[in-house]
Amino acid sequence: MRVRPFHQFVVKVHSRCNLACDYCYVYEMADQRWRGRPRVMSPEDVEHTAERIAEHARAHGLADVEVVLHGGEPLLAGPAVVEHVVTAVRSRVPARFSVQTNGTLLDRRFLEVLLALDVRVGVSLDGDAAATARHRGDSHAAVLAGLAELGSPEFRPLFAGLLCVVDLRNDPVRTYESLLAFEPPAVDFLLPHGNWSAPPPGFGYADWLVAVFDRWYGAPVRETGVRLFEEVVHVLLGGRSRVEGIGLSPALQVVVETDGMIEQSDILASAFEGAAATGLHVARDSFDAALRLPEVRARQAGLAGLSAVCRACDLHAVCGGGLRAHRYREGAGFDRPSVYCADLYRLIRHVRGRLARDLERVS
């Protein structure tokens, strides 16, 4: 099996958060190793991380790489740490940077730093004030203030989009339209993380997503991109997936924690303690060492990495088995369909049907 190099490096610059979202896979689910990690990545580990990223890019002839500043809440690290990470990497290799934030700390001072560094900004928001309050406390007003600054003409070029975790109690179309009010270039809907041993709350995620898809797809003009829907459409029309959890494309993301440990996708923290661990550290190990690990190869195995049930499914090339973390069952591992299998199947069939009808009309 040919192993693909990593293209996206998620760097955890701060390991704590100023919110206490009750669905958070980092703090509220199985893996509690965050408690023993330093709050902020040390200057030495920043330099080691930058060197390892550049080393990986040189070894594999990558023209540029993507670096995502993450946490916890990455803006808690402060402007100086963010600037250090960006300049340390870019002094060694061309890199596109973004930060994923809860938005509560976005102010003009921080946005001026991000603008000077050309760091794009993604903001997490679950909808209107009532939707936000279900899981994220009374943060809605602070996020709106941050989005107002980010949406101003001066800073709008930095706006990467909004990330929303689905809650079945929130009206799907109202949730989507509340996000549209910020004119985001993209919206990403995430299913709440769960697995066969720790199931997600409720049933009927397909119905929720289908309602949003029909509203998005049926709009007379394009209002925003929705990553989940765009990826499904792209693969249905013969393209390759660009994100993990849709299609059979290899996973090209790796994580560096605040203590310098190299890990797999941190979403695996929702499965069991240490699920993402590799035992590797940027001070002594290359990212190529991570590529050689069986568990990393499994995330790049495509069709061969799916369970027998998934391989027998007529939509496996589009679904891709869903996120690996969502396939886990205690004592049995990841060799099974996603806990969201039925929802993904119904959503993809619905999207395929809409596309087929439209293609018939124009043929």
Side-chain angles (χ1 to χ4, degrees), residues 97-98 111 114-122 147-161 183 185:
F97 270 85
S98 63
L111 283 167
L114 297 175
L115 182 64
L117 295 169
D118 189 24
V119 176
R120 301 190 74 211
V121 181
L147 282 169
E149 288 281 6
L150 180 60
S152 68
E154 182 178 2
F155 300 119
R156 184 166 178 83
L158 299 180
F159 195 8
E183 300 181 343

Side-chain angles (χ1 to χ4, degrees), residues 20-60:
C21 306
D22 59 14
Y23 52 56
C24 182
Y25 61 91
V26 176
Y27 304 111
E28 300 298 331
M29 300 192 77
D31 195 333
Q32 294 292 299
R33 292 177 301 145
W34 63 270
R35 297 177 184 276
R37 292 192 173 113
R39 289 178 178 269
V40 184
M41 181 175 280
S42 71
E44 294 78 16
D45 282 334
V46 168
E47 292 293 328
H48 289 312
T49 299
E51 184 52 47
R52 292 302 185 189
I53 291 173
E55 173 188 65
H56 196 70
R58 290 192 300 268
H60 296 280

Side-chain angles (χ1 to χ4, degrees), residues 75-130:
L75 298 190
L76 283 172
V81 173
V82 170
E83 184 173 11
H84 183 194
V85 177
V86 175
T87 56
V89 174
R90 285 195 179 140
S91 68
R92 294 167 168 90
V93 62
R96 292 168 287 119
F97 270 85
S98 63
V99 60
Q100 186 63 43
T101 173
N102 61 36
T104 59
L105 301 178
L106 277 179
D107 57 18
R108 183 174 184 84
R109 178 182 68 101
F110 222 131
L111 283 167
E112 286 175 343
V113 172
L114 297 175
L115 182 64
L117 295 169
D118 189 24
V119 176
R120 301 190 74 211
V121 181
V123 178
S124 300
L125 182 65
D126 290 346
D128 59 19

Side-chain angles (χ1 to χ4, degrees), residues 206 313-315 319 340-350 352:
C313 175
D314 61 313
L315 294 181
C319 168
Y340 288 110
C341 175
D343 290 301
L344 293 172
Y345 191 86
R346 183 163 179 266
L347 171 65
I348 293 168
R349 283 195 64 183
H350 180 82
R352 185 176 65 180

Side-chain angles (χ1 to χ4, degrees), residues 132-156:
T132 299
R134 290 191 191 278
H135 302 284
R136 304 169 72 88
D138 59 355
S139 62
H140 192 256
V143 180
L144 261 58
L147 282 169
E149 288 281 6
L150 180 60
S152 68
E154 182 178 2
F155 300 119
R156 184 166 178 83

Side-chain angles (χ1 to χ4, degrees), residues 230-354:
E230 289 177 329
E231 289 300 314
V232 169
V233 169
H234 188 64
V235 177
L236 281 168
L237 295 178
R240 291 178 60 84
S241 169
R242 294 159 291 190
V243 299
E244 190 172 4
I246 296 293
L248 297 173
S249 299
L252 305 179
Q253 180 199 89
V254 67
V255 176
V256 182
E257 294 285 352
T258 55
D259 56 3
M261 297 301 294
I262 298 170
E263 303 226 331
Q264 301 182 73
S265 168
D266 58 341
I267 294 171
L268 290 167
S270 63
F272 60 90
E273 184 152 325
T278 67
L280 305 175
H281 192 282
V282 289
R284 62 175 182 268
D285 301 297
S286 69
F287 288 116
D288 272 17
L291 285 179
R292 293 191 287 269
L293 296 173
E295 54 269 34
V296 173
R297 288 174 173 264
R299 292 175 57 226
Q300 294 201 359
L303 180 60
L306 300 185
S307 69
V309 173
C310 289
R311 291 196 299 272
C313 175
D314 61 313
L315 294 181
H316 69 256
V318 185
C319 168
L323 284 171
R324 183 170 176 81
H326 296 170
R327 306 175 201 172
Y328 178 71
R329 185 189 292 276
E330 186 176 1
F334 298 92
D335 188 24
R336 64 198 61 255
S338 167
V339 72
Y340 288 110
C341 175
D343 290 301
L344 293 172
Y345 191 86
R346 183 163 179 266
L347 171 65
I348 293 168
R349 283 195 64 183
H350 180 82
V351 174
R352 185 176 65 180
R354 290 291 303 265

